[in-house]
Amino acid sequence: MLIDVTTPQHLDDRFRESLGALPEPERRRDPAQPVRDDAALTGHQLLALFDAQVTSRQLDLAGRWLRSFGEGFYTIGSAGHEANAAVAAALRPTDPALLHYRSGAFYCARAAQAAGEFPAAGGDEATPTSGVPEPAPDDTTSPVAGDEPSDERAADPDPYPAPTGAAAYQVGVDGTAEPVPAPADPVADPTDVAAAPAAGGGATSGDPAFGVVQPDAYAAAARDVLRGMVASTREPLAGGRHKVFGRADLAVVPTTSTIASHLPRAVGLGLALERLRRVETAGGRDGADAPLRSPWPRDAIVVCSFGDASVNHASATAALNTAGWYDHTGLRIPVLFVCEDNGLGISVRSPQGWVERTLRARPGLRWFAADGADPVETYQVAAEAAAWVRRHRRPAVLHLRTVRLLGHAGADAESAYRSAAEIAVDEARDPVLATARLLVEAGLATGGELLSRYDERGWQIRRIAEEVLDEPKLATAAEVVAPLAPRRPARAAAAVAEVAARAGGSGAGARVEAFGGKPPELAGPLTLAQNINAALADGLLAHPHMAVFGEDVAAKGGVYGVTEGLREKFGPARVFDTLLDETSVLGLGLGAGLAGLLPVPEIQYLAYLHNAEDQLRGEAATMQFFSQGAFRNPMVVRVPGLAYQEGFGGHFHNDNSVAVLRDVPGLVIAVPARPDDAAPLLRTCLAAAAVDGSVCVFLEPIALYHTRDLYEPGDGEWLGQYAEPGGWAAGHVPIGRARVYGVGSAQDVTILTFGNGVRMSLRAAAVLADEGIGTRVVDLRWLAPLPVADIIREASATGRVLVVDETRRSGGVGEGIIAALVDAGYVGAARRVAGVDSFVPLGPAARQVLVSEEAITQGARTLLAR
């Protein structure tokens, strides 16, 4: 019967009806044998795939059932995409997987593999290999644009230093790694199949006896997913914060995106894994004594899945382009992109042939295609693709044709944009039904036996759903934010002290050599740019797993010379140029951090960050939050920015907008103004990233890079000495601590400012001092988190506060400062001097919209006149 929408009841009824109509098999086949003559799949494996698919289908039905009475909070399902179970089976359970939101069957199959329940070829116990022979070096299956290295291809440069850990590893300041256990179930019970999956053998779902369904890895996976649907705190990864597919012990990295924003991370992870593999093969770490240790096998590959509509998204385009770009240069990126093409992006159709044409045209990506309605073909092609990527360490794309059943989500009324006939065509291509048909045709089961299996699994999942309903939910704000951005300031301080001790002790000789015999503390007062350069060099010496990269940072040394000489000191493996794409630059950092590196990417200008800000907001900042710390991506992003460049730029090079950064929960934002603050702040960010997995933005005021003078030309008072290692611990600057300058009596006005505002405010304070007005100038140094305690203390000391905010009046930093004062009960006078709500124009007109020294002095006088 045709209806205008596929409902859970209709889909279930149709599946039952179809199973009942299947003919009796002519003969019974040995399940240890291939399901047909040309198949790599055995009967045991096909039965196991059926169970994975049925589990996923029953989870979709359970999700709609839970939502029907207000106890389920997520209804985007996997119905129609269950062919991805065969993709999981073709991979190894130790291959990192970044999955999109229709990956229920993949997740179930991966759980069975990891538990030893997925049968190998011939009916043996589970094996980590696919059972499909790897291609010979001259394998030519499937065309790929740019497949063979061209004459232009570089001699395989190596852009990443050796990582020292991976997703579930904590990297120490000395570059070593120790395992970090995945979050434990707070009430783990040995009878809970999610807490104790089977170790292999026994009554598994791949058993052809078709008895009553026993607790197994599929049930464990179902419990994970159901806990996510009901927002249970016992969900094993996100802990009730979101419904994700992810577990550290399954090598499934959580993603929350619907539009492929996780693909740039996958490329970065692939590049880092290949670097790790090569260094492990060489037997050690570059320049270090300790061998590398990785939680992933040496030949692991990365798999990431996404939908056909996502092919058109900027982040997907960036990732596919970057993978091909690096492949063209000779670098190896072992990533298998899996595009699951159901022809729809919610209600918008993908034009016929567009996805295939787009993917096949990508240079440097080998193209494979399979029909998800044929489990044998899907498994065979996926296995070929995975083996090709694993052998050649190069990227490939698997174009998997699927269908979408049950609509986009629970609230989606398909009748608004799809005809009943079109829905019926998709239902006929139901991948679970296709597997059932093949099982019957192969003589492995009858329709009745499969229906019994389907029902038993359904009742099992319904029972689990009822059980998880009573599990606790996150009940306080403190519980919700606990894993967001953990900070251990004492450990960060200890890490800085340890780095300092090593730099002044066992590493002193290497340090002197790296600086050409003249360490920066002996070079005399330095500019802000020179201090940052020296601090980056010391960071690279202290952290063998650190890498500095971005547009123009290596050969050119940065457009302002801030990274000059670093590539010569540390080599192209640790300081390297990237392609011109901010999304990809951050994606490389995300993947590198996930693999255990300490990435320090540069976004060339603050205005350019807006092209890629979701890589910070939606990807970097959410990783620990949605995995309770089981996965993390430590990162220090250097961003030259802010305004006041004389004679250069316009708004692209004088961007004063930081609101988008301050709005990201957990993000650390440091702004060094004085040269002698730059190195301590950078060391703190590096330590926080290494110790706590922090994501930091190091916002560098371009106009102050090469400034030398403060009050008069030639006075050199804006230069700063670089501290020797013996002074690093004493000069440590914790996150969220300000710096205070007293001018005159320092009793009349408190100026709260940062960046360029510090220099302007000190100059204004000197003018006010000549008028008998004493000023406290507070350099915030940290825009997130704000140094609230210091703000309140210094504001209360005078009772008059002038906020000097070089960003914009609307959405600027000043709003946050004033709010902090009000929240703390400050009752004194307060006033703001801020930039105009405008982009920064070119040339002298910029002065009309930016804060000036005159505006600061006048603002202080106005406060005193009240």
Side-chain angles (χ1 to χ4, degrees):
M1 177 179 68
L2 295 180
I3 62 172
D4 62 355
V5 64
T6 303
T7 65
Q9 183 64 49
H10 171 73
L11 188 64
D12 181 66
D13 288 346
R14 191 184 186 285
F15 185 76
R16 292 170 173 281
E17 179 182 326
S18 298
L19 284 182
L22 291 176
E24 290 290 317
E26 296 181 2
R27 61 182 178 85
R28 287 284 184 169
R29 183 187 294 261
D30 179 359
Q33 298 302 311
V35 295
R36 63 188 188 210
D37 293 342
D38 62 340
L41 276 175
T42 67
H44 285 302
Q45 291 174 314
L46 188 61
L47 289 165
L49 285 180
F50 179 75
D51 265 328
Q53 293 177 325
V54 165
T55 302
S56 178
R57 178 62 56 84
Q58 293 287 6
L59 282 169
D60 287 349
L61 300 180
R64 302 299 180 96
W65 173 69
L66 289 165
R67 184 71 187 95
S68 69
F69 53 91
E71 292 290 348
F73 308 103
Y74 197 90
T75 56
I76 297 178
S78 304
H81 283 247
E82 291 92 349
N84 56 37
V87 178
L91 295 159
R92 300 176 183 174
T94 49
D95 290 330
L98 292 78
L99 306 177
H100 75 143
Y101 57 2
R102 299 196 189 278
S103 300
F106 185 110
Y107 185 78
C108 293
R110 172 62 65 93
Q113 286 178 308
E117 292 185 16
F118 196 89
D124 297 329
E125 290 305 319
T127 176
T129 63
S130 67
V132 175
E134 292 190 350
D138 60 350
D139 171 64
T140 57
T141 57
S142 304
V144 58
D147 186 31
E148 295 305 321
S150 65
D151 293 337
E152 294 87 0
R153 193 180 292 255
D156 213 2
D158 201 347
Y160 275 137
T164 57
Y169 274 58
Q170 177 170 292
V171 182
V173 294
D174 60 352
T176 61
E178 57 183 9
V180 176
D185 189 324
V187 290
D189 186 314
T191 63
D192 185 341
V193 293
T204 71
S205 58
D207 190 331
F210 285 94
V212 176
V213 173
Q214 300 294 323
D216 55 17
Y218 295 128
R223 189 177 294 269
D224 291 348
V225 176
L226 288 166
R227 282 172 162 165
M229 289 179 180
V230 301
S232 165
T233 59
R234 297 178 188 171
E235 191 276 328
L237 200 71
R241 291 167 185 83
H242 196 63
K243 188 269 185 184
V244 301
F245 290 116
R247 277 190 80 129
D249 56 344
L250 300 182
V252 178
V253 181
T255 66
T256 62
S257 171
T258 63
I259 51 169
S261 64
H262 56 293
L263 267 60
R265 181 202 298 275
V267 174
L269 180 56
L271 200 58
L273 284 183
E274 181 59 12
R275 167 60 181 162
L276 175 58
R277 184 186 75 89
R278 294 187 180 199
V279 175
E280 281 185 326
T281 301
R285 183 172 62 218
D286 294 351
D289 298 327
L292 284 170
R293 300 194 180 279
S294 169
W296 286 304
R298 192 171 60 86
D299 61 348
I301 67 173
V302 180
V303 60
C304 56
S305 58
F306 57 103
D308 55 288
S310 296
V311 165
N312 307 299
H313 196 269
S315 52
T317 299
L320 296 170
N321 180 72
T322 301
W325 189 88
Y326 275 115
D327 186 78
H328 183 74
T329 68
L331 292 172
R332 297 296 181 249
I333 301 183
V335 176
L336 177 60
F337 298 97
V338 180
C339 178
E340 298 184 19
D341 182 359
N342 64 29
L344 288 163
I346 305 183
S347 65
V348 179
R349 288 172 171 79
S350 294
Q352 186 69 32
W354 171 251
V355 175
E356 177 177 341
R357 183 173 181 180
T358 299
L359 295 176
R360 295 192 72 165
R362 289 287 174 188
L365 295 181
R366 189 152 193 147
W367 182 77
F368 296 85
D371 183 356
D374 184 342
V376 170
E377 177 185 312
T378 299
Y379 176 78
Q380 179 71 40
V381 174
E384 289 175 2
W388 190 89
V389 173
R390 198 179 309 279
R391 180 179 182 87
H392 297 285
R393 319 303 296 170
R394 296 177 63 188
V397 59
L398 170 59
H399 183 197
L400 181 62
R401 290 182 292 277
T402 66
V403 295
R404 192 189 71 191
L405 307 176
L406 293 180
H408 174 72
D412 181 28
E414 288 186 290
S415 58
Y417 56 89
R418 300 187 80 193
S419 69
E422 182 183 356
I423 293 171
V425 169
D426 274 4
E427 288 179 345
R429 288 174 43 80
D430 183 342
V432 187
L433 184 57
T435 302
R437 289 193 186 105
L438 182 56
L439 284 167
V440 173
E441 290 170 2
L444 294 163
T446 67
E449 289 170 335
L450 295 177
L451 180 57
S452 175
R453 195 70 173 175
Y454 174 80
D455 284 338
E456 288 291 340
R457 184 66 69 183
W459 283 113
Q460 180 191 56
I461 289 174
R462 179 67 65 91
R463 287 194 297 271
I464 296 173
E466 291 171 347
E467 291 168 7
V468 301
L469 281 175
D470 295 326
E471 293 183 349
K473 309 290 193 295
L474 294 167
T476 66
E479 285 183 291
V480 171
V481 302
L484 176 62
R487 296 207 178 97
R488 292 170 289 183
R491 288 196 60 178
V496 171
E498 182 181 344
V499 165
R502 195 162 58 248
S506 61
R511 184 169 182 268
V512 170
E513 182 181 354
F515 284 108
K518 190 175 183 180
E521 60 267 24
L522 302 180
L526 303 176
T527 63
L528 178 66
Q530 291 169 330
N531 265 275
I532 294 172
N533 178 278
L536 287 169
D538 270 322
L540 286 160
L541 286 167
H543 303 276
H545 54 302
M546 175 176 158
V548 174
F549 54 92
E551 301 162 17
D552 300 306
V553 303
K556 185 179 176 65
V559 293
Y560 295 97
V562 179
T563 56
E564 185 176 359
L566 294 182
R567 186 179 70 166
E568 288 69 23
K569 288 184 176 73
F570 299 98
R574 303 191 62 194
V575 181
F576 58 93
D577 291 318
T578 65
L579 74 174
L580 196 155
D581 176 60
E582 287 73 27
T583 295
S584 295
V585 171
L586 292 178
L588 293 175
L590 287 166
L594 187 61
L597 297 172
L598 182 53
V600 183
E602 179 190 285
I603 300 298
Q604 197 166 87
Y605 288 99
L606 177 59
Y608 299 172
L609 176 66
H610 306 314
N611 298 328
E613 57 201 25
D614 188 56
Q615 291 296 300
L616 284 181
R617 183 198 65 83
E619 295 295 320
T622 61
M623 179 53 72
Q624 295 202 85
F625 183 71
F626 288 129
S627 71
Q628 301 182 93
F631 293 98
R632 61 185 208 166
N633 39 223
M635 188 188 307
V636 180
V637 184
R638 292 183 47 251
V639 186
L642 301 177
Y644 298 98
Q645 290 193 78
E646 291 294 332
F648 180 70
H651 77 282
F652 269 120
H653 303 97
N654 285 280
D655 186 21
N656 60 350
S657 174
V658 299
V660 69
L661 293 173
R662 294 193 67 248
D663 185 55
V664 179
L667 192 70
V668 175
I669 307 173
V671 183
R674 294 298 294 259
D676 56 348
D677 270 339
L681 264 62
L682 184 56
R683 279 193 287 270
T684 297
C685 288
L686 291 173
V691 168
D692 294 321
S694 299
V695 180
C696 306
V697 171
F698 199 71
L699 182 57
E700 302 165 5
I702 298 172
L704 299 179
Y705 269 152
H706 306 299
T707 298
R708 306 177 69 86
D709 307 320
L710 175 55
Y711 299 113
E712 300 292 339
D715 65 18
E717 292 196 35
W718 199 257
L719 298 173
Q721 197 73 30
Y722 191 88
E724 62 181 0
W728 293 357
H732 172 62
V733 180
I735 292 175
R737 288 303 306 271
R739 179 175 181 176
V740 182
Y741 302 86
V743 182
S745 67
Q747 298 299 311
D748 299 312
V749 177
T750 298
I751 297 179
L752 302 174
T753 189
F754 62 94
N756 294 288
V758 177
R759 183 172 182 273
M760 290 189 295
S761 294
L762 288 172
R763 289 170 60 86
V767 173
L768 294 170
D770 291 341
E771 300 174 7
I773 300 171
T775 305
R776 293 170 180 256
V777 176
V778 181
D779 179 2
L780 301 176
R781 299 195 291 198
W782 305 92
L783 302 188
L786 284 170
V788 175
D790 295 336
I791 288 172
I792 302 305
R793 183 189 66 248
E794 297 304 320
S796 301
T798 65
R800 299 182 185 90
V801 171
L802 181 66
V803 177
V804 176
D805 177 10
E806 65 175 289
T807 65
R808 300 165 191 166
R809 176 166 291 274
S810 298
V813 177
E815 291 181 338
I817 298 171
I818 295 295
L821 289 168
V822 172
D823 289 346
Y826 173 75
V827 294
R831 185 178 179 85
R832 275 195 300 161
V833 177
V836 173
D837 289 343
S838 169
F839 298 106
V840 180
L842 190 65
R847 299 170 192 158
Q848 306 303 315
V849 298
L850 297 175
V851 173
S852 66
E853 293 172 23
E854 293 76 13
I856 297 171
T857 55
Q858 187 56 44
R861 295 183 187 117
T862 301
L863 273 174
L864 289 165
R866 289 184 176 180

